[in-house]
Amino acid sequence: MTENVTTDPDLSIVVPVYNEGNNLPKLYDRLLSVLQQMQVNYELIFVNDGSLDDSLRFIKELAASNTSVNYISLSRNFGHQVAVSAGLDVAVGKAVVVMDADLQDPPELIPQLYAKMQEGFEVVYGRRVYRKGESYLKKMTAKFFYRLLSKITHVNIPLDTGDFRIMDAKIVRVLKQMPERNKFLRGQVAWVGFRQTWINYTRDERHGGATGYTYRKMLRFAFDGITSFSDFPLKMASMLGFIVSGGAFIVMIYALLARLIFKDYVEGWASIILSVLFLGGVQLICLGIAGEYLARVFNNVQGRPLYVVDESSKESGTEATEK
């Protein structure tokens, strides 16, 4: 059955997709059921982030059968945050929902998010009180990261939240004006401000397939979040330099006293070598931290588009690559 879509939908739903062919049919059925119950004009925007399975084929079939379904297919895998940004660039709804395609974020929560927004909030995000099907290590590292981030940043980034949220269109317009390439959207949304609140929910186990977020990618994502919203690592490098310099000064005084007054010393090279290695390691750490920040400046001044669209059912999709 083909459905009509207005030029100004009440709700846009942005779904980044990477190798989610097994999950898309069930996700679409659940989304369609929820949206029909809500009785709102909507658009579904699927962003194919370089999937290697049949995700794009299924999305095209949905777009052909339902004019409320649109898609953007990127030229390669640019990453989750960039894929979400591509969807936000073309979303035209009065409110925009961001959610993943793996069904860990339940579509049935969208009416509650939407109803909470009607109370006068510009952002309503889902806060995960329990995460099914995830290892103890992943839960603990995520919990530690969010609490560390809240301590070292000047932005009040909500604890235990992902990108599952609903936003007013004016929030999306501000996000489009943020040109940084190392995206950390949950931090950017918090930085924008306005009235924000949350709804607690239990995050379901992944419906099918394997997650694309390896521990390596999670570590990179965490570092992006820290360096995008905090200069604490640079301050830490400076403090470490002062501490090491102070320690070296104390050791120097001790060495002079031991040799000239107490006559209690052992000739050898071990202490010298250890000191040189320690000081060299500290210097390399500090240079590495400074280099990470410098690399982000370099990436942003290159002027390359954030992503490249291969094909799209949205006319403005190609234009978004010229930002």
Side-chain angles (χ1 to χ4, degrees), residues 105-122:
D105 301 323
E108 291 76 17
L109 195 66
I110 293 176
Q112 297 181 45
L113 296 173
Y114 189 74
K116 195 70 174 177
M117 173 173 278
Q118 306 312 307
E119 297 178 12
F121 295 99
E122 279 81 17

PDB file of all heavy atoms in Angstrom, residues 105-122:
ATOM      1  N   ASP A 105      16.800   0.066  20.658  1.00  0.00           N
ATOM      2  CA  ASP A 105      15.969   1.188  21.073  1.00  0.00           C
ATOM      3  C   ASP A 105      14.550   0.927  20.569  1.00  0.00           C
ATOM      4  O   ASP A 105      14.303   0.935  19.361  1.00  0.00           O
ATOM      5  CB  ASP A 105      16.497   2.500  20.495  1.00  0.00           C
ATOM      6  CG  ASP A 105      17.928   2.772  20.937  1.00  0.00           C
ATOM      7  OD1 ASP A 105      18.250   2.456  22.088  1.00  0.00           O
ATOM      8  OD2 ASP A 105      18.703   3.304  20.126  1.00  0.00           O
ATOM      9  N   PRO A 106      13.592   0.682  21.455  1.00  0.00           N
ATOM     10  CA  PRO A 106      12.256   0.249  21.024  1.00  0.00           C
ATOM     11  C   PRO A 106      11.476   1.358  20.322  1.00  0.00           C
ATOM     12  O   PRO A 106      11.313   2.451  20.885  1.00  0.00           O
ATOM     13  CB  PRO A 106      11.579  -0.152  22.346  1.00  0.00           C
ATOM     14  CG  PRO A 106      12.316   0.612  23.397  1.00  0.00           C
ATOM     15  CD  PRO A 106      13.725   0.731  22.917  1.00  0.00           C
ATOM     16  N   PRO A 107      10.976   1.108  19.122  1.00  0.00           N
ATOM     17  CA  PRO A 107      10.133   2.104  18.439  1.00  0.00           C
ATOM     18  C   PRO A 107       8.888   2.468  19.246  1.00  0.00           C
ATOM     19  O   PRO A 107       8.360   3.579  19.107  1.00  0.00           O
ATOM     20  CB  PRO A 107       9.759   1.395  17.131  1.00  0.00           C
ATOM     21  CG  PRO A 107      10.825   0.375  16.913  1.00  0.00           C
ATOM     22  CD  PRO A 107      11.216  -0.079  18.279  1.00  0.00           C
ATOM     23  N   GLU A 108       8.421   1.541  20.081  1.00  0.00           N
ATOM     24  CA  GLU A 108       7.213   1.785  20.875  1.00  0.00           C
ATOM     25  C   GLU A 108       7.394   2.902  21.899  1.00  0.00           C
ATOM     26  O   GLU A 108       6.413   3.372  22.493  1.00  0.00           O
ATOM     27  CB  GLU A 108       6.801   0.498  21.585  1.00  0.00           C
ATOM     28  CG  GLU A 108       6.289  -0.605  20.665  1.00  0.00           C
ATOM     29  CD  GLU A 108       7.395  -1.309  19.901  1.00  0.00           C
ATOM     30  OE1 GLU A 108       8.580  -1.178  20.293  1.00  0.00           O
ATOM     31  OE2 GLU A 108       7.085  -1.997  18.915  1.00  0.00           O
ATOM     32  N   LEU A 109       8.628   3.358  22.094  1.00  0.00           N
ATOM     33  CA  LEU A 109       8.870   4.462  23.027  1.00  0.00           C
ATOM     34  C   LEU A 109       8.683   5.827  22.347  1.00  0.00           C
ATOM     35  O   LEU A 109       8.581   6.843  23.037  1.00  0.00           O
ATOM     36  CB  LEU A 109      10.289   4.356  23.597  1.00  0.00           C
ATOM     37  CG  LEU A 109      10.607   5.199  24.836  1.00  0.00           C
ATOM     38  CD1 LEU A 109       9.790   4.730  26.029  1.00  0.00           C
ATOM     39  CD2 LEU A 109      12.104   5.138  25.162  1.00  0.00           C
ATOM     40  N   ILE A 110       8.615   5.845  21.027  1.00  0.00           N
ATOM     41  CA  ILE A 110       8.505   7.114  20.303  1.00  0.00           C
ATOM     42  C   ILE A 110       7.265   7.913  20.718  1.00  0.00           C
ATOM     43  O   ILE A 110       7.363   9.139  20.914  1.00  0.00           O
ATOM     44  CB  ILE A 110       8.532   6.868  18.779  1.00  0.00           C
ATOM     45  CG1 ILE A 110       9.912   6.341  18.365  1.00  0.00           C
ATOM     46  CG2 ILE A 110       8.192   8.141  18.002  1.00  0.00           C
ATOM     47  CD1 ILE A 110      10.025   5.975  16.904  1.00  0.00           C
ATOM     48  N   PRO A 111       6.080   7.308  20.861  1.00  0.00           N
ATOM     49  CA  PRO A 111       4.923   8.104  21.305  1.00  0.00           C
ATOM     50  C   PRO A 111       5.152   8.789  22.646  1.00  0.00           C
ATOM     51  O   PRO A 111       4.701   9.922  22.853  1.00  0.00           O
ATOM     52  CB  PRO A 111       3.793   7.071  21.379  1.00  0.00           C
ATOM     53  CG  PRO A 111       4.189   6.002  20.418  1.00  0.00           C
ATOM     54  CD  PRO A 111       5.684   5.926  20.523  1.00  0.00           C
ATOM     55  N   GLN A 112       5.859   8.127  23.570  1.00  0.00           N
ATOM     56  CA  GLN A 112       6.139   8.743  24.861  1.00  0.00           C
ATOM     57  C   GLN A 112       7.105   9.916  24.714  1.00  0.00           C
ATOM     58  O   GLN A 112       6.942  10.960  25.360  1.00  0.00           O
ATOM     59  CB  GLN A 112       6.727   7.701  25.817  1.00  0.00           C
ATOM     60  CG  GLN A 112       5.790   6.547  26.145  1.00  0.00           C
ATOM     61  CD  GLN A 112       6.417   5.560  27.109  1.00  0.00           C
ATOM     62  OE1 GLN A 112       7.014   5.948  28.109  1.00  0.00           O
ATOM     63  NE2 GLN A 112       6.296   4.275  26.805  1.00  0.00           N
ATOM     64  N   LEU A 113       8.121   9.748  23.864  1.00  0.00           N
ATOM     65  CA  LEU A 113       9.042  10.852  23.608  1.00  0.00           C
ATOM     66  C   LEU A 113       8.299  12.042  22.992  1.00  0.00           C
ATOM     67  O   LEU A 113       8.503  13.197  23.378  1.00  0.00           O
ATOM     68  CB  LEU A 113      10.162  10.391  22.670  1.00  0.00           C
ATOM     69  CG  LEU A 113      11.100   9.290  23.178  1.00  0.00           C
ATOM     70  CD1 LEU A 113      12.038   8.841  22.065  1.00  0.00           C
ATOM     71  CD2 LEU A 113      11.903   9.768  24.375  1.00  0.00           C
ATOM     72  N   TYR A 114       7.443  11.731  22.034  1.00  0.00           N
ATOM     73  CA  TYR A 114       6.691  12.778  21.332  1.00  0.00           C
ATOM     74  C   TYR A 114       5.730  13.487  22.291  1.00  0.00           C
ATOM     75  O   TYR A 114       5.610  14.725  22.275  1.00  0.00           O
ATOM     76  CB  TYR A 114       5.923  12.154  20.170  1.00  0.00           C
ATOM     77  CG  TYR A 114       5.274  13.156  19.230  1.00  0.00           C
ATOM     78  CD1 TYR A 114       6.043  13.893  18.340  1.00  0.00           C
ATOM     79  CD2 TYR A 114       3.895  13.336  19.228  1.00  0.00           C
ATOM     80  CE1 TYR A 114       5.448  14.798  17.479  1.00  0.00           C
ATOM     81  CE2 TYR A 114       3.293  14.240  18.374  1.00  0.00           C
ATOM     82  CZ  TYR A 114       4.077  14.971  17.498  1.00  0.00           C
ATOM     83  OH  TYR A 114       3.489  15.876  16.654  1.00  0.00           O
ATOM     84  N   ALA A 115       5.056  12.715  23.147  1.00  0.00           N
ATOM     85  CA  ALA A 115       4.117  13.305  24.110  1.00  0.00           C
ATOM     86  C   ALA A 115       4.850  14.178  25.122  1.00  0.00           C
ATOM     87  O   ALA A 115       4.367  15.253  25.508  1.00  0.00           O
ATOM     88  CB  ALA A 115       3.341  12.199  24.824  1.00  0.00           C
ATOM     89  N   LYS A 116       6.047  13.744  25.537  1.00  0.00           N
ATOM     90  CA  LYS A 116       6.831  14.545  26.483  1.00  0.00           C
ATOM     91  C   LYS A 116       7.259  15.856  25.856  1.00  0.00           C
ATOM     92  O   LYS A 116       7.282  16.902  26.521  1.00  0.00           O
ATOM     93  CB  LYS A 116       8.053  13.734  26.925  1.00  0.00           C
ATOM     94  CG  LYS A 116       8.759  14.279  28.160  1.00  0.00           C
ATOM     95  CD  LYS A 116       7.929  14.084  29.398  1.00  0.00           C
ATOM     96  CE  LYS A 116       8.678  14.498  30.666  1.00  0.00           C
ATOM     97  NZ  LYS A 116       7.849  14.369  31.880  1.00  0.00           N
ATOM     98  N   MET A 117       7.580  15.819  24.566  1.00  0.00           N
ATOM     99  CA  MET A 117       7.958  17.050  23.873  1.00  0.00           C
ATOM    100  C   MET A 117       6.804  18.043  23.842  1.00  0.00           C
ATOM    101  O   MET A 117       7.013  19.267  23.920  1.00  0.00           O
ATOM    102  CB  MET A 117       8.449  16.735  22.456  1.00  0.00           C
ATOM    103  CG  MET A 117       8.696  17.973  21.598  1.00  0.00           C
ATOM    104  SD  MET A 117       9.448  17.595  20.005  1.00  0.00           S
ATOM    105  CE  MET A 117      11.165  17.465  20.504  1.00  0.00           C
ATOM    106  N   GLN A 118       5.570  17.546  23.731  1.00  0.00           N
ATOM    107  CA  GLN A 118       4.400  18.431  23.681  1.00  0.00           C
ATOM    108  C   GLN A 118       4.212  19.198  24.985  1.00  0.00           C
ATOM    109  O   GLN A 118       3.459  20.174  25.036  1.00  0.00           O
ATOM    110  CB  GLN A 118       3.133  17.624  23.366  1.00  0.00           C
ATOM    111  CG  GLN A 118       3.214  16.772  22.109  1.00  0.00           C
ATOM    112  CD  GLN A 118       3.761  17.531  20.905  1.00  0.00           C
ATOM    113  OE1 GLN A 118       3.259  18.596  20.549  1.00  0.00           O
ATOM    114  NE2 GLN A 118       4.785  16.965  20.274  1.00  0.00           N
ATOM    115  N   GLU A 119       4.912  18.782  26.050  1.00  0.00           N
ATOM    116  CA  GLU A 119       4.835  19.499  27.324  1.00  0.00           C
ATOM    117  C   GLU A 119       5.701  20.757  27.333  1.00  0.00           C
ATOM    118  O   GLU A 119       5.696  21.501  28.313  1.00  0.00           O
ATOM    119  CB  GLU A 119       5.255  18.573  28.470  1.00  0.00           C
ATOM    120  CG  GLU A 119       4.342  17.359  28.648  1.00  0.00           C
ATOM    121  CD  GLU A 119       4.823  16.437  29.763  1.00  0.00           C
ATOM    122  OE1 GLU A 119       5.722  16.872  30.538  1.00  0.00           O
ATOM    123  OE2 GLU A 119       4.311  15.305  29.857  1.00  0.00           O
ATOM    124  N   GLY A 120       6.467  20.967  26.235  1.00  0.00           N
ATOM    125  CA  GLY A 120       7.261  22.188  26.135  1.00  0.00           C
ATOM    126  C   GLY A 120       8.761  21.977  26.094  1.00  0.00           C
ATOM    127  O   GLY A 120       9.526  22.948  26.170  1.00  0.00           O
ATOM    128  N   PHE A 121       9.207  20.734  25.933  1.00  0.00           N
ATOM    129  CA  PHE A 121      10.632  20.451  25.867  1.00  0.00           C
ATOM    130  C   PHE A 121      11.104  20.428  24.413  1.00  0.00           C
ATOM    131  O   PHE A 121      10.375  19.991  23.518  1.00  0.00           O
ATOM    132  CB  PHE A 121      10.947  19.113  26.533  1.00  0.00           C
ATOM    133  CG  PHE A 121      10.670  19.098  28.012  1.00  0.00           C
ATOM    134  CD1 PHE A 121       9.483  18.545  28.501  1.00  0.00           C
ATOM    135  CD2 PHE A 121      11.565  19.645  28.909  1.00  0.00           C
ATOM    136  CE1 PHE A 121       9.218  18.528  29.852  1.00  0.00           C
ATOM    137  CE2 PHE A 121      11.308  19.632  30.279  1.00  0.00           C
ATOM    138  CZ  PHE A 121      10.131  19.082  30.744  1.00  0.00           C
ATOM    139  N   GLU A 122      12.337  20.888  24.188  1.00  0.00           N
ATOM    140  CA  GLU A 122      12.918  20.845  22.840  1.00  0.00           C
ATOM    141  C   GLU A 122      13.665  19.546  22.568  1.00  0.00           C
ATOM    142  O   GLU A 122      13.847  19.157  21.412  1.00  0.00           O
ATOM    143  CB  GLU A 122      13.868  22.026  22.621  1.00  0.00           C
ATOM    144  CG  GLU A 122      13.183  23.339  22.268  1.00  0.00           C
ATOM    145  CD  GLU A 122      12.639  24.054  23.499  1.00  0.00           C
ATOM    146  OE1 GLU A 122      13.069  23.713  24.626  1.00  0.00           O
ATOM    147  OE2 GLU A 122      11.799  24.955  23.343  1.00  0.00           O
TER     148      GLU A 122
END
